[in-house]
Amino acid sequence: MKVLLANFHKGWGGQPTAILMLAQGLAARGHEPVLAVPPGSMLGERARAAGLATFEEARFAKPREIASAFRDLSRLTAHLAGGGYDLINAHGSQDLWTAVLARRRAVPRTPLVLTRMNTKRVAWHAANRWLYRQVDQLIVVSRSVLDRYSRFFEAGILTEERTAVVPLAYHPDRFHPGVDGASFRAEVGASPDAPLVGVVGRLVADKGQDDLLRAAPSILARHPGTNFIFAGTGTAEPALRDLAARLGVAESVRFLGFRDDVPGITAGLDISVLPSVDCDASPTVVKEALACGVPVVATDIGGAREIIRQGETGLVVPPRDPARLAAAILTLLDDRSQAKAMGRLGSDDVRARFSPDRLTGETLSVYEGVLRRGRRGRAAR
């Protein structure tokens, strides 16, 4: 089948990573994915480098940017009309709105799937009620996301038949127990015994990195050689640097910026932390850390409990509670052998449950169900 995979993000992160992985999986199975992305996006650049087709004529502007939004609508409508697509899969609010409006104008009308990859609140208002009535199938990446749609289910706008749970995958060829983290540890000057506690991800408020900094003083009081690693960029970086200075922990904190060598960084950590306060529905960084044999401490946001086996492969703590976060990290630092055993168990566990092949197969099953329902509907008319 020919599938248009749409995404409005220009930067890189978990969502573009997942879309590229799915596109490559579809192509490997003989299907024809095309990525609809804004011009200059990192997803478009990496898709082209992987030999995948792209459509980059729509910016997927916000509706309030009226002139740009109309240009996007016109260009996507023309592309759909001549593209011969079997299905559209949107992945975010801006590309969803453009896709919904474009397919209403294009002939034939292409089935539309929305994959929801975060736990942000879905506002209950007339525009969203209309929008979700246009979606033929909703895919969520963890069961936790369904809680955001309770009113949509109660009103019959969404139904069980038109909803599926397909967890995100990670790259087992890049993240596995054989990845060597020694070079990264040498880069930051960490001795074999010096604890490295790190967060990999965008530096934004949703990720809760400030709570890890607030937990740092009590961790350093017991393990003074600990270094806290922040790999990623984002709008919160200046505030995080300022907070580290005010807390007196700046000398123990490393901000790495954007890095392409994430597997080596991850493997070099003693503990991977995801202190999110919102957004993360099926966090890939948790799977990647466990795949490398690194135990995880994560907050109870989104699908963390669907990935981590509490007390066996990691620890889940309440969000916005630096004291509990510190206590969990100290539990693992105090017993490094037990922490390593948790990481080893986690590696086997995620490899069995979150492979790219499984992601592709389960997504294709959803696509095929949507197309079967469409054929039945046309036959009934």
Side-chain angles (χ1 to χ4, degrees):
M1 65 182 75
K2 187 175 183 181
V3 182
L4 186 70
L5 301 171
N7 186 241
F8 71 86
H9 289 291
K10 293 197 71 171
W12 195 247
Q15 191 171 120
T17 300
I19 296 167
L20 181 59
M21 181 187 294
L22 174 60
Q24 291 174 307
L26 292 172
R29 294 192 182 204
H31 300 285
E32 188 180 351
V34 178
L35 289 93
V37 293
S41 75
M42 292 185 71
L43 177 54
E45 178 184 332
R46 296 190 183 197
R48 292 193 305 275
L52 298 168
T54 63
F55 169 74
E56 301 179 62
E57 296 179 25
R59 289 180 54 240
F60 294 121
K62 294 180 180 180
R64 64 173 177 266
E65 299 176 35
I66 297 175
S68 184
F70 269 108
R71 282 195 298 271
D72 290 347
L73 177 58
S74 175
R75 291 168 180 172
L76 185 58
T77 299
H79 183 72
L80 290 176
Y85 289 100
D86 296 290
L87 186 139
I88 306 166
N89 190 170
H91 293 83
S93 57
Q94 289 163 222
D95 52 275
L96 175 61
W97 273 102
T98 308
V100 163
L101 296 172
R103 76 152 189 171
R104 288 175 67 85
R105 299 172 63 185
V107 178
R109 182 166 172 167
T110 311
L112 175 63
V113 174
L114 168 65
T115 299
R116 177 83 172 180
M117 294 191 187
N118 62 58
T119 59
K120 289 185 178 292
R121 186 177 68 88
V122 184
W124 177 253
H125 53 57
N128 272 349
R129 291 194 291 273
W130 178 86
L131 180 67
Y132 277 91
R133 286 191 178 96
Q134 314 309 310
V135 174
D136 297 296
Q137 180 82 32
L138 173 67
I139 297 176
V140 296
V141 297
S142 74
R143 296 196 175 278
S144 64
V145 181
L146 295 176
D147 296 339
R148 300 299 193 179
Y149 289 102
S150 57
R151 296 189 69 176
F152 291 82
F153 282 101
E154 291 165 4
I157 295 169
L158 294 175
T159 64
E160 184 176 339
E161 183 189 28
R162 291 173 46 234
T163 308
V165 180
V166 180
L168 298 180
Y170 73 99
H171 284 286
D173 57 328
R174 299 185 66 217
F175 297 88
H176 52 80
V179 177
D180 184 12
S183 60
F184 172 68
R185 294 184 69 91
E187 175 191 331
V188 296
S191 68
D193 295 329
L196 287 188
V197 176
V199 181
V200 177
R202 293 175 299 121
L203 303 181
V204 293
D206 286 346
K207 298 294 185 179
Q209 288 104 338
D210 57 320
D211 286 332
L212 177 57
L213 289 176
R214 292 187 176 92
S218 57
I219 296 169
L220 288 166
R222 193 181 302 178
H223 294 276
T226 303
N227 276 298
F228 298 90
I229 305 298
F230 294 81
T233 60
T235 55
E237 183 172 344
L240 291 171
R241 287 181 178 273
D242 180 65
L243 178 61
R246 286 189 282 112
L247 292 169
V249 299
E251 291 187 359
S252 299
V253 176
R254 304 289 186 93
F255 290 94
L256 304 182
F258 180 81
R259 299 283 291 252
D260 273 325
D261 56 338
V262 172
I265 294 171
T266 301
L269 299 176
D270 293 288
I271 302 171
S272 178
V273 182
L274 183 65
S276 287
V277 298
D278 196 6
C279 193
D280 287 298
S282 182
T284 305
V285 292
V286 170
K287 300 162 194 152
E288 292 171 347
L290 292 174
C292 291
V294 177
V296 176
V297 174
T299 49
D300 196 3
I301 292 292
R305 287 188 182 274
E306 297 172 38
I307 304 167
I308 299 168
R309 300 195 187 280
Q310 178 74 326
E312 297 179 21
T313 63
L315 298 172
V316 181
V317 299
R320 281 292 180 227
D321 193 335
R324 294 282 294 275
L325 184 64
I329 293 169
L330 286 168
T331 295
L332 299 182
L333 291 181
D334 289 345
D335 190 345
R336 304 281 282 278
S337 62
Q338 177 61 22
K340 289 180 180 178
M342 293 169 75
R344 287 193 296 271
L345 179 60
S347 181
D348 294 337
D349 186 48
V350 296
R351 186 168 59 249
R353 293 195 290 144
F354 301 109
S355 70
D357 191 60
R358 186 170 181 176
L359 167 69
T360 304
E362 292 182 4
T363 303
L364 273 171
S365 294
V366 174
Y367 289 172
E368 289 161 359
V370 172
L371 296 178
R372 280 196 302 272
R373 289 203 309 271
R375 288 192 292 268
R376 288 200 303 266
R378 288 192 295 272
R381 292 196 296 270

